[in-house]
Amino acid sequence: MEDLIPVPLWLAGRGYRIRIRKQDEAAVRLAIKIADERITELRTSFAGKDDQDFIAMCLLMYATDQVTETNELNPVQKELIKQMVEKIDRVDS
């Protein structure tokens, strides 16, 4: 069995402790960051809802993206590519 590391994460103002492979930590943290940003956007767009509603809406958006955008990159992939391009730009400068 692979060695898993404990990683504390925050999503929608709540802390979660999960165990993941060390090599997956950056991707998991990026996914949490993107989800938390999406939840924040939903909070500003829809007043009067609670965090459970926003988390459910975020999950629905993610699931919908997975089945409707099969030929496109998911938000995590897009962010990783953006970060790589920024690194390349810094090296070339």
Side-chain angles (χ1 to χ4, degrees):
M1 186 168 136
E2 289 186 66
D3 289 329
L4 302 177
I5 60 168
V7 177
L9 301 169
W10 286 89
L11 180 64
R14 290 189 65 181
Y16 299 92
R17 189 171 174 94
I18 63 172
R19 297 182 67 75
I20 59 173
R21 296 180 306 172
K22 177 68 176 164
Q23 64 265 30
D24 295 338
E25 183 177 3
V28 169
R29 287 191 183 279
L30 179 58
I32 292 294
K33 178 182 177 241
I34 291 169
D36 205 46
E37 288 171 355
R38 216 176 230 189
I39 290 168
T40 300
E41 290 172 16
L42 291 168
R43 275 190 189 120
T44 60
S45 300
F46 301 99
K49 302 282 185 184
D50 65 11
D51 281 345
Q52 184 175 347
D53 292 328
F54 297 128
I55 293 169
M57 291 167 72
C58 182
L59 176 62
L60 180 59
M61 291 167 71
Y62 170 78
T64 302
D65 288 348
Q66 295 303 303
V67 296
T68 60
E69 298 177 5
T70 55
N71 293 327
E72 293 186 26
L73 299 173
N74 66 47
V76 173
Q77 292 168 324
K78 288 177 186 176
E79 183 64 26
L80 288 171
I81 289 171
K82 178 183 164 195
Q83 289 176 4
M84 284 190 255
V85 169
E86 289 171 355
K87 285 181 184 178
I88 291 168
D89 288 345
R90 283 193 302 267
V91 171
D92 289 342
S93 303

